[in-house]
Amino acid sequence: MSKTIFRELLDKEASPALGCTEPMMFALGGAITRKHAPGKVLRVDMVGCGLMVTGVQAVGIPKTGGKTGAFLASAVGIINGDADACKEVLHNITPKDVEAAEELVKNAEFTLDMDNSTGKQVYFKLTLTTDEHVATVIFEDEHHTWTYLEVDGKVLVDNRRPTTEMLIPANDVDWNEFTIENIYNWCKTADISEFGRAKEAVAMNKILAQDGIDNPRGIQTARVLMDNIESGFVAPDEITHILIWATAGADARMGGSDYPAMVSTASGNQGAMVVMGPWACAEYRKCSEEDGYRAVAFGLLVNTYLKYLSKEYVYMPPTCSCAATSAPASAAGVAFLHGLSPKQINDMLCTCMIHMAGVVCDGAKPSCAFRMFTSLFGCLEAMMMAEKGIRATNGEGFVHNDIKGT
C-alpha cells in the first residue's frame, strides 16, 4: 500500500450531505419507494432500530424551516425528494413541497415502529403503499446504503448481509502504513494539490458553521458562548474561537440548517467539528491557507483512523463517536498547527480517550453539539498537557502507551 492511501481515504470518507443522517435516510427511503410506486399514497409504514427511531424525531429537517419528525421527513422525500442525489436527497424541497408533505401526513396513514432484533446499529425499513403499487426499501449498516428493494412482490435488489458480515473497513487497511506518524508526515510533505477535499470541506463547513453562529439553531451552544464574550464572562481567546467555530456547525445541522456538511467518516456533525476546529485555529493564528488545509486533512484522517480502530462499529459505534473521536481528531488538527510532534499527538489522543470513555450514543439530537463542545474543551486541555510532557499513562484504566493499543 502506497502513501496514496491517505488521499484515497480523504476522498472516500469525506463527502457532502444535507441534513442530519436520520431525517435524510427517512426522506431517501420515501424518495426511492416513490420512484417505484406512483399513484395516490395510501400508507407509509416505517420500522427502525432504536437509534434511528429516536434520532429522527428531535433534529430539524433541512428545507422545512426546522420542522421535525419521522412522518414529515419521509413525506417530503415522497413529495419531491431526489433519490439520485442520495445524501442530498432534500436539496430540491420548496415551501410548497413542505405544505404538500404536511397534507400528505394528514390524509394518508403513517406508522412508525421500533425493532432492535436485527442486531444492526443502522436499520430502517419503509414500505410505501399507493392505490397502484407497493414498494419496500431497507437500509442497513450505513444511513445512505439501501440493501433491499422490493416492488409489487418482486425483489429488485437484495444485498443484505448478516451481522457477522458487517462492513469492517479496518480489515482492508495496512495498519503498518496507516499510523499517526505517517498521517502526520504525509500532511506535512505532500503536494498541496493532494488537499483538494480539505479545501472543499472548509468552504462547505464554514458556511454551515456561520449559519449556526448567525441563527438560533439547535441548542445554540456556539451562540451562547459568543453572547458571554460580549458580556465579559468569557475571554475572546484562541480556545474560545476554536470552540465556537467547531461547535456551531453541529448546532446548525441539528437545528435543520439548509446548508450541507462535508461529513467525516459517515457523520456530518463530526465533519463540522473536525474541519472547523483546525481551520478556526489557523485563522486565529493567521496561518497560511495551505497550512490550514494541511491541518484540516490531518484532522479528517485522524478521525478516520480512530473510527476504523473501532472495527465492526466503525460507522455507528455504541459509544458517542462525535465526542470520542471527532473532538480528539479536531484537537489533533489544532495540535498540528501548534507544532506538536507525532509522539505528543499520540500522547494527547491517549489522554483524550479517558475524557469521554463510555459515553453512549443515545441518538441524534440538538444537545449532541453540547456534548461535542464539552469533549473538545477537554481535548484541547489534553493537547496543552501533552505539550508539557503530561499524559494519562498505561497504568490508568484502559489507556495504553499508544493510541492504537488504547
Side-chain angles (χ1 to χ4, degrees), residues 37-114:
K40 180 182 178 181
V41 176
L42 303 178
R43 298 183 58 87
V44 181
D45 297 297
M46 296 170 283
V47 179
C49 64
L51 288 178
M52 303 305 104
V53 171
T54 58
V56 73
Q57 302 293 17
V59 294
I61 305 166
K63 305 290 186 176
T64 68
K67 293 182 166 111
T68 62
F71 294 172
L72 184 61
S74 58
V76 291
I78 291 168
I79 293 297
N80 194 25
D82 183 354
D84 295 330
C86 194
K87 289 184 285 187
E88 296 184 271
V89 59
L90 296 173
H91 71 100
N92 282 330
I93 299 301
T94 67
K96 287 187 177 180
D97 293 330
V98 178
E99 291 177 8
E102 290 175 326
E103 284 300 309
L104 179 61
V105 172
K106 290 179 183 178
N107 296 324
E109 183 73 20
F110 280 72
T111 67
L112 175 63
D113 292 306
M114 188 183 297

Side-chain angles (χ1 to χ4, degrees), residues 139-157:
F139 295 75
E140 292 181 325
D141 298 333
E142 297 177 277
H143 294 80
H144 63 282
T145 301
W146 55 98
T147 57
Y148 182 86
L149 179 62
E150 177 184 312
V151 179
D152 296 332
K154 181 179 180 180
V155 177
L156 304 184
V157 175

Side-chain angles (χ1 to χ4, degrees), residues 33-324:
T33 52
R34 186 56 166 167
K35 281 183 66 174
H36 297 275
K40 180 182 178 181
V41 176
L42 303 178
R43 298 183 58 87
V44 181
D45 297 297
M46 296 170 283
V47 179
C49 64
L51 288 178
M52 303 305 104
V53 171
T54 58
V56 73
Q57 302 293 17
V59 294
I61 305 166
K63 305 290 186 176
T64 68
K67 293 182 166 111
T68 62
F71 294 172
L72 184 61
S74 58
V76 291
I78 291 168
I79 293 297
N80 194 25
D82 183 354
D84 295 330
C86 194
K87 289 184 285 187
E88 296 184 271
V89 59
L90 296 173
H91 71 100
N92 282 330
I93 299 301
T94 67
K96 287 187 177 180
D97 293 330
V98 178
E99 291 177 8
E102 290 175 326
E103 284 300 309
L104 179 61
V105 172
K106 290 179 183 178
N107 296 324
E109 183 73 20
F110 280 72
T111 67
L112 175 63
D113 292 306
M114 188 183 297
D115 180 6
N116 289 314
S117 66
T118 66
K120 300 282 187 176
Q121 291 292 314
V122 174
Y123 176 80
F124 174 60
K125 175 182 177 181
L126 185 148
T127 298
L128 173 63
T129 303
T130 73
D131 59 354
E132 299 175 16
H133 302 280
V134 178
T136 296
V137 66
I138 296 176
F139 295 75
E140 292 181 325
D141 298 333
E142 297 177 277
H143 294 80
H144 63 282
T145 301
W146 55 98
T147 57
Y148 182 86
L149 179 62
E150 177 184 312
V151 179
D152 296 332
K154 181 179 180 180
V155 177
L156 304 184
V157 175
D158 190 354
N159 296 323
R160 291 173 295 175
R161 295 178 295 185
T163 305
T164 53
E165 296 178 13
M166 192 179 296
L167 181 68
I168 308 177
N171 291 345
D172 299 324
V173 173
D174 181 353
W175 288 98
N176 292 318
E177 182 67 28
F178 194 35
T179 66
I180 294 295
E181 184 172 7
N182 286 347
I183 296 170
Y184 181 95
N185 290 335
W186 183 79
C187 289
K188 280 285 187 183
T189 61
D191 188 86
I192 191 60
S193 63
E194 298 288 330
F195 299 96
R197 186 53 58 90
K199 185 175 182 180
E200 293 172 15
V202 169
M204 184 173 293
N205 289 357
K206 189 171 183 179
I207 293 172
L208 180 68
Q210 190 69 59
D211 187 28
I213 287 171
D214 292 342
N215 299 294
R217 302 282 192 189
I219 202 170
Q220 301 184 57
T221 312
R223 283 169 60 86
V224 168
L225 198 56
M226 290 187 68
D227 288 345
N228 280 276
I229 291 175
E230 295 177 7
S231 71
F233 187 61
V234 175
D237 53 26
E238 181 181 348
I239 283 185
T240 302
H241 186 72
I242 291 168
L243 290 169
I244 288 170
W245 281 95
T247 308
D251 277 332
R253 189 167 171 270
M254 297 292 95
S257 174
D258 293 340
Y259 297 105
M262 182 70 79
V263 308
S264 175
T265 318
S267 170
N269 273 5
Q270 292 181 42
M273 175 157 279
V274 171
V275 169
M276 291 312 301
W279 189 255
C281 172
E283 287 189 326
Y284 189 92
R285 298 173 71 84
K286 295 181 171 52
C287 300
S288 68
E289 285 192 348
E290 178 175 329
D291 285 344
Y293 295 139
R294 291 179 183 276
V296 167
F298 182 68
L300 287 167
L301 288 167
V302 169
N303 194 45
T304 298
Y305 176 86
L306 295 174
K307 289 194 75 174
Y308 274 24
L309 283 172
S310 65
K311 306 299 190 224
E312 66 268 28
Y313 295 116
V314 60
Y315 290 119
M316 199 69 183
T319 54
C320 174
S321 54
C322 290

